[in-house]
Amino acid sequence: MKRTITIEEVRKAVEAAHAHFREEKGGKNADYIPYLKNVPSGLFGITVCLADGRSVSAGDTDYRFGIESVSKVPTALLVMNQYGARKILERIGADATGLPFNSIMAILLENDHPSTPLVNAGAISACSMVRPAGNAEAKWKAIAQFISSLCGSDVTVIDELYRSESATNFNNRSIAWLLKNYDRIYDDPEMALDLYTRQCSLGVSTRQLAVMAATIANCGTNPVTREEVFHANLTPHIASLMATVGFYERTGDWLFNTGLPAKSGVGGGIMAVVPGVMGLAAFAPPLDGAGNSVKAQKALEYISVRLGLNIFNPARIEVAAQESVKEKACR
Ligand code: GLN
């Protein structure tokens, strides 16, 4: 039932998506973090990395933009890798809030857990869980190294973005202390908030994000460096979390249109995963009302429909893998 496509078909789809949506004018840059307001709005890049490491790109794919909420995915993975997936379900949860990413109301409504590591509350909670406990620099090293391993290359903080976020993150500060009030912060709350702010300020390119997505698609083994970054059985768990809440209150619309587990960030990036097949990344700063890049959503939706990537469709595709790559199952 599955259809096999070639990398040439993927290349044509990526180039066509870039050409179709380059002039799209919808949305506007995030402005509640001053740095993001000043990122050139016309930047637009798309990269697809196959689960065997080959990739295709179009547009501004080397530009380093703020990873923002896409960073919630690697931290959730790191914590699941350190504790096992069950513990995260118990301590943080896996339910969509149906509310904005920075909602305080969601915390008040869910008084037994912050609901999911892919909204601000759950992500701050996840940062508090990162091992080793009690040591901010060692925790940061664990997060930054893990993200770099997923990307297959060094990922560093954009200092100006970090300063900009730290000077304006009052809502997130309230979230951290409200979680502390409900015993859902597992280390120092200010430390957890700072780790979260720092990880959101990491600069990544679509090339790096696509390798991260391909590593998730490839059951935890980075297809470019061949490093085993996380336990293979975590791919279905993280893909489920992305599918349920990756675009906050617009997640249902996204999933209905694309059938792709994906995560957006207010820096304009989106990362999507087709387990066993490929990772996709797109970047363009102007956002819709829920904080999701307008152009990146359109580009990825176009590619998903054109190539038949929808994971709920039994006729979805496979990509002809290079001979050297052995079949892998996420068990
Ligand atoms: N750092 C941003 C925040 O906490 C990330 C939000 C996002 O990308 N949706 O508000």
Side-chain angles (χ1 to χ4, degrees):
M1 177 114 60
K2 286 185 181 171
R3 193 170 71 84
T4 302
I5 58 164
T6 64
I7 190 151
E8 275 320 307
E9 288 176 75
V10 177
R11 185 184 312 283
K12 283 189 189 133
V14 168
E15 284 168 359
H18 190 266
H20 279 327
F21 301 111
R22 201 170 29 204
E23 304 304 332
E24 160 72 46
K25 291 278 179 270
K28 66 179 189 40
N29 285 32
D31 56 9
Y32 75 101
I33 299 170
Y35 174 96
L36 297 177
K37 197 168 45 185
N38 300 323
V39 175
S41 304
L43 289 167
F44 181 32
I46 311 168
T47 301
V48 171
C49 181
L50 303 184
D52 65 13
R54 291 173 297 163
S55 64
V56 298
S57 284
D60 303 305
T61 52
D62 290 316
Y63 183 88
R64 288 174 66 241
F65 54 91
I67 188 172
E68 298 298 345
S69 281
V70 182
S71 68
K72 290 166 177 158
V73 172
T75 309
L77 267 172
L78 172 60
V79 173
M80 288 198 280
N81 208 41
Q82 290 182 333
Y83 291 76
R86 282 272 136 203
K87 194 78 179 164
I88 274 37
L89 188 61
E90 229 172 76
R91 283 193 174 180
I92 300 180
D95 282 331
T97 58
L99 289 166
F101 57 83
N102 54 3
S103 176
I104 285 180
M105 178 93 78
I107 305 172
L108 300 171
L109 291 173
E110 295 254 2
N111 55 18
D112 56 345
H113 57 63
S115 77
T116 163
L118 301 194
V119 297
N120 292 18
I124 294 170
S125 200
C127 283
S128 79
M129 288 178 72
V130 170
R131 287 177 170 142
N135 182 334
E137 277 322 300
K139 275 171 166 277
W140 173 246
K141 208 168 155 200
I143 294 171
Q145 270 178 1
F146 189 74
I147 295 180
S148 295
S149 291
L150 286 168
C151 292
S153 54
D154 280 347
V155 173
T156 52
V157 166
I158 302 172
D159 290 326
E160 196 189 334
L161 175 56
Y162 175 52
R163 280 195 297 275
S164 187
E165 293 215 25
S166 300
T168 52
N169 64 353
F170 307 115
N171 190 83
N172 287 341
R173 193 168 298 265
S174 315
I175 289 175
W177 283 102
L178 190 56
L179 290 173
K180 171 75 179 162
N181 182 56
Y182 290 124
D183 288 330
R184 291 187 235 141
I185 288 282
Y186 305 97
D187 207 331
D188 179 73
E190 289 291 333
M191 187 200 291
L193 173 70
D194 182 58
L195 289 168
Y196 169 74
T197 310
R198 262 203 261 185
Q199 74 172 36
C200 285
S201 309
L202 286 167
V204 285
S205 64
T206 59
R207 287 177 193 268
Q208 289 178 307
L209 264 195
V211 176
M212 182 191 295
T215 303
I216 297 172
N218 194 37
C219 311
T221 300
N222 185 312
V224 177
T225 64
R226 311 305 308 160
E227 185 188 352
E228 289 193 18
V229 186
F230 64 82
H231 296 304
N233 68 357
L234 297 180
T235 284
H237 290 303
I238 197 69
S240 313
L241 289 171
M242 292 165 78
T244 46
V245 77
F247 291 74
Y248 313 109
E249 66 272 38
R250 302 269 166 88
T251 306
D253 292 5
W254 165 263
L255 203 58
F256 185 90
N257 289 330
T258 65
L260 293 184
K263 182 76 203 80
S264 70
V266 291
I270 296 178
M271 168 176 90
V273 173
V274 188
V277 179
M278 65 172 72
L280 304 95
F283 157 66
L287 310 176
D288 66 15
N292 307 312
S293 169
V294 172
K295 236 188 254 191
Q297 285 183 86
K298 290 197 170 172
L300 294 181
E301 179 181 338
Y302 173 91
I303 295 169
S304 178
V305 172
R306 174 160 164 165
L307 295 180
L309 302 180
N310 189 322
I311 64 164
F312 301 105
N313 188 344
R316 68 189 175 277
I317 57 134
E318 284 176 338
V319 176
Q322 281 178 326
E323 300 240 322
S324 58
V325 175
K326 60 176 178 0
E327 279 287 318
K328 207 172 170 205
C330 299
R331 286 195 280 263

